[in-house]
Amino acid sequence: MDVAAIPGVPDWLPGHLQDDGIEALYPPQAEAVEAGVTEGANLVASVPTASGKTLVAELAMLSALAEEDSGKALYIVPLRALASEKSEEFEQFEQYGVDVGVSTGNYDSDGGWLADKDVIVATSEKVDSLVRNDAAWIEDLSCVVADEVHLVDDGQRGPTLEVTLAKLRQLNADLQTVALSATIGNADELADWLDAELVDSDWRPIELQKGVHYGQALHLEDGSQQRLEVRNGESETAAIVRDTLADDGSTLVFVNSRRNAEAAARRLASTTSDFLDQEERERLAEIAAEIRDVSDTETSDDLADAVAKGAAFHHAGCSNDHRALVEEAFRDRLLKVVCATPTLAAGVNTPSRRVVVRDWRRYDGSAGGMAPLSVLEVHQMMGRAGRPGLDPYGEAVLLANSHDELDELFERYVWADPEPVRSKLAAQPALRTHLLATVASGFASSRDGLLAFLERTLHASQNADRSELERVTDAMLDYLEVNGFLERDGDQLQATGLGHTVSRLYLDPMSAAEIVDGLRDWERSGGRSSSRSGRSGEDGEEPEEPAGFTPASELVDDGDDDAEADEPPSALGLYHLVARTPDMYELYLRSGDEEEYSQIAYERETEFLGPMPSEFEDNRFEDWLSALKTARLLEDWASEVEESQITERYDVGPGDVRGKVETTQWLLGAAESLAAELDMDCVPAIREARTRVEHGVKTELVDLAGVRGVGRKRARRLYDAGIRTRADLREADKAVVLGALRGREKTAENVLENAGREDPSMDGVEPAEVEGVEVDPGGSSGSGSDRGTGAEAADDSEDQSSLGDF
Ligand code: ADP
């Protein structure tokens, strides 16, 4: 179909597409148009990776916006990292008056500013929270697009997408729903659920050959074999990378862990470096320098070392800046190989000539060991092979060690169809969260109303038998009632004040229960935890509830109201409290950790909120210790320990530190609201612990670090030079301020202005000598390399924010 023949789209669109080199629609796109996607029809498009799904979404959104009295279009992405990629893509339409907004960040706001936008990009969690917070514009949507909708199958996040789509469709009966999916076997079921037309296609713009490498040959699915020799001492992966490079192609290697990605990149760098010309070397050296600048950590250095030689790794522990630099250099064909964990397969647009799926098993805690990847995941990785317009074809290969494995891999992945997508809604954690939110935000006010709402979900459309859903619903309603989040009056349901707060804060009710119980326990004992309840397990009264949980209701009327909470909880105690909630991903315990953290647990026993489980309760105790490890990381960060030391000590990447810090800020913010709701005395202590972790500083720096432009290091230097508060900044001798800020005039002026000083100018001021601080020779220009990242190099620029741009 010629782009000029698409009905329903704005007049400018065909010309715009033609300018972009798009003359005709790809066949699945044409099918979508024929199915009415530009005329308001609901659509499920199940097509392979890189086959132009984004344009289908754009056609739907732009045609919806072109309608008279149209509302907005919402594009739901599965990962935050994809939100900016997609919005950048849609910004190409701003020249035609289509305003694009991305909604990430806080889960407890109603995103009022988005009301002016035409296209909004957000994760399903964010959309869910906007619905809970009554964002007015949500009812004003004309079109919603759900990207990667096959992820409704994901046990963790799928239910949120499922419930969110159901809510949006309940709010607005005329809403056009477009769902984009990888190729799956049961796309028709998704179409049934969403009352949608179906485009189910395996067309690809470039040919893809799947296969398995074994011995000295590549066995392809069409039955052919290509010789691909593995030299002595060379790995199969290195041989494939070398073979691809001989043909001037690049390779994407998928492995099963971050560590493996890093190790593989390091090893493959010796292969790629032989193929670089002088110009490539120089450009890669520049990129490596930029990578080093991002942060002063081992991850950064390792990545830079590999990149300089033409190889890279890409995983969730890398910072956003790292990832963006790697993706760009790979697209520019400077990087010859990228070793990635499957995050990259989830939608980042980085096609390559060949894909190697090196590991087809991955550690899976619930399976207690290594478990095979799903066919869908492997096919999505494989789908990254072949760059339209650049490569003649793409090849995606698995690696076999034996003839049996060769046969197995063909059966299991090459010839296999992807698994059907199934709703995961009937699981307890998903339901307890979504049932509370559904009642709190007024979608249902009775048990029957809830069950009627659940009829709109994929779960209901896939399961004729409702008994399981009803059983779990009833169990979760009991749970919510017992914990004081819901009240029941006959069949009627109402959220309590606490329940409303929990829903708005976007907390898992179990997290809220853990926090409330911990805080209550602290208050009850007057903050002297050594005299507090004995460890559970020792008193023989094991609660029946899930690990770590005591019903808040048991603690409500304990008749101990006179106890004075005279001692506020410590930062470590609070970090530990939030680290043990299900909303925080804990750090794993490695060998030796159990002993180390048990020791710390006993040494600091009085600081914990709520009872410590007994050592004889293996799993609970271990979870509790992992939370302690996380809490210690946070305490280190909030005690001004260098970032590079933290990443080394806890064996994590800078992106992980950033993630933990953000989650803690959110959870402590929530704890603060809960404590305020319950009229507790510990609010200031929680606020202080939160601010400390936000800025990564000790208590005495909290005030200073809160001034925009001052971060943990600058705050420390100012403090040590005698400037201790925001108010001091307004009065202090400018020469001392300038000296403490290493002679950077612009920075100093900025800081003073942000602190509210009337005359912040540094004209004619000479930096005073400040002990332990060296003035930056290039400082007076004020430019420096103000990248504002979390780097903690000698440079001053790192101080912009706590952890910068991860
Ligand atoms: P998907 O979302 O299905 O993985 P994309 O939408 O990212 O794939 O499309 C892959 C590439 O194909 C993009 O670079 C896009 O510009 C290009 N493309 C999409 N549709 C067409 C078309 N009809 N003609 C030419 N190129 C197209």
Side-chain angles (χ1 to χ4, degrees):
M1 181 187 283
D2 193 284
V3 292
I6 311 170
V9 292
D11 299 340
W12 50 261
L13 188 66
H16 178 83
L17 291 176
Q18 284 155 353
D19 289 348
D20 241 12
I22 298 182
E23 299 282 343
L25 294 182
Y26 285 159
Q29 295 166 340
E31 275 184 58
V33 170
E34 276 151 22
V37 77
T38 56
E39 291 161 307
N42 293 342
L43 180 83
V44 168
S46 168
V47 286
T49 315
S51 304
K53 286 192 287 282
T54 310
L55 183 56
V56 173
E58 288 166 351
L59 291 176
M61 296 193 296
L62 293 171
S63 61
L65 293 172
E67 293 274 299
E68 233 170 274
D69 298 329
S70 75
K72 299 174 189 312
L74 175 65
Y75 190 97
I76 304 180
V77 286
L79 288 174
R80 259 201 211 197
L82 291 181
S84 42
E85 168 151 321
K86 286 296 171 193
S87 69
E88 276 164 31
E89 162 118 30
F90 302 150
E91 277 163 17
Q92 60 175 308
F93 305 122
E94 293 206 317
Q95 54 181 310
Y96 307 104
V98 176
D99 281 336
V100 181
V102 191
S103 176
T104 50
N106 289 345
Y107 282 140
D108 52 1
S109 77
D110 68 2
W113 65 278
L114 293 167
D116 296 334
K117 302 292 174 189
D118 302 305
V119 173
I120 293 164
V121 182
T123 58
S124 44
E125 286 74 16
K126 182 66 202 187
V127 178
D128 185 16
S129 87
L130 289 165
V131 172
R132 295 184 192 193
N133 286 286
D134 290 334
W137 54 266
I138 287 277
E139 289 180 43
D140 191 28
L141 290 179
S142 296
C143 176
V144 59
V145 179
D147 195 2
E148 311 260 348
V149 76
H150 53 271
L151 292 173
V152 286
D153 192 272
D154 180 283
Q156 291 276 336
R157 306 186 47 209
T160 304
L161 177 58
E162 188 178 339
V163 168
T164 301
L165 282 176
K167 282 185 180 167
L168 293 177
R169 287 160 55 75
Q170 171 161 336
L171 278 173
N172 185 346
D174 299 328
L175 180 66
Q176 180 187 13
T177 310
V178 174
L180 309 174
S181 166
T183 16
I184 52 170
N186 62 339
D188 54 330
E189 291 179 18
L190 296 182
D192 271 353
W193 166 43
L194 297 170
D195 309 310
E197 302 292 321
L198 175 64
V199 171
D200 193 355
S201 164
D202 53 14
W203 182 89
R204 288 178 48 98
I206 180 163
E207 195 196 334
L208 173 65
Q209 276 274 1
K210 302 190 191 101
V212 179
H213 185 268
Y214 169 61
Q216 307 290 340
L218 207 54
H219 302 251
L220 295 170
E221 60 185 321
D222 62 4
S224 68
Q225 287 186 20
Q226 280 174 24
R227 185 169 166 76
L228 201 164
E229 183 199 0
V230 181
R231 293 180 186 158
N232 252 350
E234 190 182 48
S235 71
E236 261 180 302
T237 314
I240 294 170
V241 168
R242 180 176 47 73
D243 183 75
T244 318
L245 273 168
D247 206 15
D248 205 21
S250 55
T251 310
L252 197 52
V253 181
F254 285 105
V255 298
N256 60 6
S257 74
R258 299 173 184 190
R259 209 181 275 265
N260 283 339
E262 295 183 11
R266 201 176 312 128
R267 278 199 303 273
L268 292 172
S270 60
T271 303
T272 53
S273 72
D274 293 344
F275 287 84
L276 301 174
D277 62 30
Q278 190 53 30
E279 193 202 329
E280 286 174 330
R281 266 177 217 288
E282 283 164 17
R283 290 176 63 192
L284 285 167
E286 284 167 24
I287 298 167
E290 277 188 69
I291 287 174
R292 256 181 248 281
D293 260 3
V294 170
S295 76
D296 182 23
T297 56
E298 224 178 285
T299 309
S300 209
D301 284 343
D302 290 350
L303 183 59
D305 289 346
V307 165
K309 296 181 184 166
F313 54 85
H314 184 294
H315 59 58
C318 301
S319 69
N320 287 342
D321 283 352
H322 285 149
R323 286 202 291 250
L325 286 163
V326 167
E327 284 161 26
E328 195 184 323
F330 193 60
R331 278 196 286 264
D332 291 347
R333 311 180 74 175
L334 286 169
L335 283 174
K336 309 301 178 189
V337 61
V338 170
C339 304
T341 54
T343 37
L344 193 66
V348 183
N349 191 11
T350 46
S352 93
R353 170 68 176 280
R354 268 194 183 133
V355 165
V356 176
V357 181
R358 197 197 71 178
D359 301 332
W360 57 277
R361 295 189 190 87
R362 166 175 58 203
Y363 181 78
D364 176 355
S366 62
M370 302 299 274
L373 299 178
S374 71
V375 180
L376 181 58
E377 277 176 291
V378 169
H379 283 189
Q380 277 210 288
M381 296 180 209
M382 292 182 141
R384 293 277 154 218
R387 296 165 303 173
L390 286 174
D391 295 327
Y393 56 90
E395 275 173 355
V397 295
L398 292 137
L399 309 179
N401 278 320
S402 64
H403 211 277
D404 283 351
E405 197 180 4
L406 172 69
D407 291 343
E408 181 183 356
L409 291 177
F410 261 91
E411 290 286 331
R412 189 186 272 279
Y413 295 116
V414 177
W415 288 323
D417 291 324
E419 302 75 8
V421 162
R422 308 273 324 161
S423 166
K424 297 292 190 296
L425 185 64
Q428 293 200 0
L431 268 186
R432 76 180 167 239
T433 300
H434 290 298
L435 293 182
L436 175 61
T438 303
V439 174
S441 45
F443 282 87
S445 55
S446 64
R447 179 179 177 277
D448 283 350
L450 264 182
L451 293 173
F453 169 74
L454 293 173
E455 283 298 307
R456 296 177 163 273
T457 61
L458 175 64
H459 189 278
S461 93
Q462 284 188 323
N463 297 276
D465 177 9
R466 300 284 185 272
S467 56
E468 188 186 359
L469 196 60
E470 283 194 32
R471 189 182 57 74
V472 187
T473 298
D474 286 331
M476 290 302 99
L477 288 178
D478 288 345
Y479 175 93
L480 293 169
E481 191 183 9
V482 135
N483 280 284
F485 301 137
L486 280 186
E487 275 167 3
R488 258 199 276 205
D489 182 7
D491 184 44
Q492 292 301 298
L493 298 169
Q494 206 179 357
T496 60
L498 194 59
H500 275 287
T501 306
V502 171
S503 168
R504 268 202 310 275
L505 292 171
Y506 210 72
L507 281 180
D508 180 336
M510 195 183 245
S511 296
E514 181 84 37
I515 291 172
V516 167
D517 287 346
L519 294 176
R520 276 192 173 134
D521 193 53
W522 184 267
E523 294 241 317
R524 224 171 23 148
S525 62
R528 288 176 295 272
S529 43
S530 48
S531 63
R532 290 178 313 140
S533 46
R535 287 178 210 147
S536 67
E538 289 181 358
D539 55 12
E541 281 180 4
E542 257 321 294
E544 298 253 301
E545 282 71 22
F549 168 68
T550 315
S553 55
E554 282 180 14
L555 302 167
V556 179
D557 295 314
D558 54 16
D560 200 11
D561 289 342
D562 300 338
E564 264 180 70
D566 49 6
E567 210 182 298
S570 72
L572 181 79
L574 290 166
Y575 298 150
H576 185 258
L577 178 66
V578 296
R580 43 182 219 249
T581 65
D583 278 311
M584 177 85 86
Y585 285 100
E586 287 165 6
L587 295 174
Y588 291 113
L589 292 182
R590 298 187 192 279
S591 68
D593 278 356
E594 185 151 347
E595 208 173 284
E596 181 181 345
Y597 290 99
S598 301
Q599 185 68 31
I600 297 173
Y602 293 118
E603 278 165 15
R604 304 189 60 175
E605 194 178 356
T606 55
E607 293 184 51
F608 302 111
L609 287 79
M612 187 192 304
S614 146
E615 277 170 68
F616 302 106
E617 301 171 73
D618 273 355
N619 288 343
R620 278 189 67 195
F621 190 64
E622 230 177 74
D623 282 350
W624 199 91
L625 286 185
S626 320
L628 178 55
K629 185 175 176 184
T630 310
R632 286 280 292 165
L633 179 153
L634 294 162
E635 190 186 38
D636 278 352
W637 173 250
S639 307
E640 298 170 49
V641 175
E642 297 268 334
E643 183 192 352
S644 55
Q645 259 176 291
I646 296 181
T647 52
E648 207 180 304
R649 189 175 294 168
Y650 298 94
D651 200 11
V652 294
D656 298 307
V657 182
R658 171 77 177 164
K660 296 268 176 295
V661 165
E662 275 186 4
T663 308
T664 307
Q665 270 176 254
W666 161 54
L667 288 173
L668 283 179
E672 207 180 310
S673 303
L674 292 172
E677 172 87 32
L678 296 169
D679 219 5
M680 291 179 167
D681 295 331
C682 49
V683 173
I686 301 174
R687 186 173 308 147
E688 185 180 296
R690 179 173 59 75
T691 321
R692 280 185 56 196
V693 92
E694 178 182 347
H695 299 299
V697 294
K698 295 182 187 164
T699 305
E700 72 244 29
L701 296 192
V702 162
D703 190 33
L704 269 184
V707 176
R708 209 149 49 86
V710 180
R712 61 195 315 227
K713 288 200 154 182
R714 285 182 187 156
R716 176 49 63 198
R717 289 201 297 270
L718 287 164
Y719 189 91
D720 291 346
I723 301 165
R724 313 221 144 148
T725 61
R726 178 188 289 259
D728 286 354
L729 274 174
R730 292 197 282 266
E731 306 292 326
D733 182 351
K734 285 185 183 176
V736 177
V737 175
L738 191 57
L741 298 179
R742 306 185 68 229
R744 294 241 166 115
E745 287 181 12
K746 275 243 170 61
T747 307
E749 286 175 354
N750 242 334
V751 164
L752 289 188
E753 194 175 331
N754 294 337
R757 187 155 179 154
E758 275 180 14
D759 168 27
S761 166
M762 283 284 160
D763 279 354
V765 179
E766 282 299 315
E769 232 176 77
V770 173
E771 208 187 315
V773 181
E774 267 181 51
V775 167
D776 176 10
S780 57
S781 71
S783 60
S785 61
D786 263 5
R787 287 181 52 84
T789 69
E792 297 194 342
D795 189 281
D796 198 47
S797 59
E798 80 289 342
D799 289 17
Q800 304 314 305
S801 63
S802 50
L803 269 168
D805 290 339
F806 283 112

